[in-house]
């Protein structure tokens, strides 16, 4: 008899499912932060497997900036209907009004930094003690400093120097009142792993991940979707190109890439040929400074 052998996707999946179950076992009020992107979609698939035949035992939470791709919102609502998961949506625009925050201005006026306020308010509103997210270590420099269980203080702030050791796959979820933990079940995955897993599992995705024609603004070699959320100036170059998205963020700060990839196999082939990370190539807000992401995370950003 040939011995059964796990492949690397089985091992990654097994670790992630173990982490999901640890969250359910250690915390009283966990939540899964959902953006409509491929990583959070993968987390939902892992959660469905982790708790099958039951339903996902925690809600999906979407912090809506108001600058989303319509395709991502339509996918979110369809996924919730199909899985029976509970969805909680809170809006950055409501936070801006309630707190009297200053609305960002400029050509690509992103509300990304303001998401932290809405997220922290939502954590307080529902008493969440753990929030699951889809960060991977290959995305951005600050992500690599995270532990799988990443503790935030009572103000929602993150200190990279106060991370707990995680030896032998043991995760310490003990926190003081007011603190919460951000949990990253796919920390040990990279972008190509996510795509290979999506292919293997036959996971449906928003259509913007695949090649399509879109009107875009050409800005510093970035292709930014034309939308009501960006400022069009005289002299701007607007063209229609065949593009897809490697990551799904706000329309104000997420650039497309030229592509003819219409299948997951095509996408995998493209990724294998690039040496630039998805955020490095497509996220305008991460390029403000070397420490842009780390600064936002210290202030409560996921």
């Amino acid at each position: 008899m040939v011995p059964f052998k796990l492949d690397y996707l089985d091992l990654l999946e097994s670790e992630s499912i173990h982490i999901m179950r640890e969250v359910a076992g250690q915390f009283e009020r966990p939540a899964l932060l959902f953006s409509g992107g491929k990583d959070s979609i993968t987390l939902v698939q892992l959660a469905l497997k982790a708790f099958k035949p039951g339903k996902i035992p925690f809600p999906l939470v979407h912090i809506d900036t108001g600058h989303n791709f319509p395709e991502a919102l339509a996918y979110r609502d369809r996924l919730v209907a199909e899985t029976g998961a509970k969805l909680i949506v809170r809006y950055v625009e409501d936070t801006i009004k309630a707190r009297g925050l200053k609305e960002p201005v400029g050509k690509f006026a992103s509300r990304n930094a303001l998401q932290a306020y809405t997220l922290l308010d939502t954590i307080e509103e529902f008493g969440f003690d753990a929030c699951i997210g889809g960060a991977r270590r290959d995305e951005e420099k600050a992500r690599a400093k995270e532990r799988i269980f990443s503790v935030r203080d009572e103000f929602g702030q993150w200190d990279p120097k106060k991370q707990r050791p995680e030896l032998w796959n043991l995760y310490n979820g003990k926190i003081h009142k007011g603190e919460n933990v951000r949990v990253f079940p796919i920390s040990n995955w990279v972008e190509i792993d996510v795509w290979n897993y999506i292919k293997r599992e036959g996971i449906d995705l928003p259509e913007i991940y695949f090649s399509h024609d879109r009107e875009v603004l050409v800005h510093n070699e970035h292709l930014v979707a034309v939308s009501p959320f960006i400022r069009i100036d005289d002299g701007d170059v607007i063209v229609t190109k065949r593009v897809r998205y490697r990551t799904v963020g706000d329309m104000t700060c997420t650039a497309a890439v030229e592509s003819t990839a219409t299948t997951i196999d095509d996408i995998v082939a493209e990724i294998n040929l690039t040496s630039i990370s998805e955020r490095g190539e497509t996220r305008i807000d991460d390029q403000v400074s070397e420490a842009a992401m780390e600064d936002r995370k210290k202030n409560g950003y996921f």
Side-chain angles (χ1 to χ4, degrees), residues 32-41 60-63 68-69 72-73 75-76 115 206 209 247-249:
L32 191 156
L33 298 189
F34 186 80
S35 67
K38 67 183 183 307
D39 296 322
S40 61
I41 291 168
L60 310 185
V61 174
H62 182 205
I63 304 301
N68 299 282
F69 287 90
L73 293 180
Y75 180 93
R76 177 200 69 187
Q115 286 185 85
Y209 276 112
T247 181
V248 174

Side-chain angles (χ1 to χ4, degrees), residues 54-254:
K55 291 185 177 181
I56 299 174
F58 35 73
L60 310 185
V61 174
H62 182 205
I63 304 301
D64 189 336
T65 63
H67 294 165
N68 299 282
F69 287 90
E71 298 95 329
L73 293 180
Y75 180 93
R76 177 200 69 187
D77 295 340
R78 186 169 71 251
L79 179 68
V80 168
E82 291 173 353
T83 62
K86 179 182 179 182
L87 174 67
I88 295 171
V89 182
R90 290 296 180 266
Y91 300 92
V92 173
E93 188 164 353
D94 291 341
T95 306
I96 292 172
K97 294 175 181 177
R99 286 176 169 258
L101 300 176
K102 185 177 180 180
E103 179 82 32
V105 296
K107 192 169 189 64
F108 306 110
S110 171
R111 290 175 172 171
N112 261 6
L114 299 184
Q115 286 185 85
Y117 294 98
T118 309
L119 175 58
L120 295 178
D121 287 349
T122 305
I123 289 172
E124 182 177 4
E125 177 185 355
F126 292 94
F128 293 135
D129 50 4
C131 294
I132 301 167
R136 307 184 321 268
R137 297 194 190 282
D138 68 321
E139 287 182 276
E140 197 274 340
K141 295 176 182 177
R143 302 287 201 195
K145 296 181 181 180
E146 295 275 19
R147 295 291 192 266
I148 289 174
F149 275 27
S150 181
V151 178
R152 301 305 204 265
D153 65 22
E154 64 270 26
F155 303 106
Q157 296 179 329
W158 172 69
D159 186 344
K161 296 179 181 179
K162 294 183 178 179
Q163 296 291 293
R164 297 170 175 174
E166 293 177 336
L167 306 175
W168 308 294
N169 292 333
L170 298 176
Y171 306 109
N172 181 1
K174 298 183 82 173
I175 55 175
H176 297 293
K177 185 176 181 179
E179 295 178 337
N180 67 85
V181 174
R182 310 293 168 84
V183 181
F184 305 107
I186 59 172
S187 278
N188 291 325
W189 301 43
V190 295
E191 183 185 11
I192 196 68
D193 298 333
V194 173
W195 281 109
N196 283 329
Y197 187 73
I198 288 169
K199 176 184 175 182
R200 189 185 81 171
E201 299 295 307
I203 301 172
D204 185 35
L205 291 175
E207 58 195 39
I208 60 174
Y209 276 112
F210 302 95
S211 180
H212 60 283
D213 291 326
R214 187 178 289 268
E215 192 176 36
V216 294
L217 166 66
V218 182
H219 180 79
N220 292 339
E221 299 184 355
H222 286 114
L223 303 177
V224 183
V226 173
S227 75
F229 313 125
I230 66 172
R231 190 184 72 214
I232 306 297
D233 297 318
D234 292 340
D236 280 344
V237 177
I238 297 175
V239 296
T240 298
K241 284 186 174 289
R242 194 77 174 163
V243 300
R244 70 174 185 87
Y245 286 85
R246 289 181 67 184
T247 181
V248 174
D250 277 1
M251 296 187 77
T252 54
C253 62
T254 308

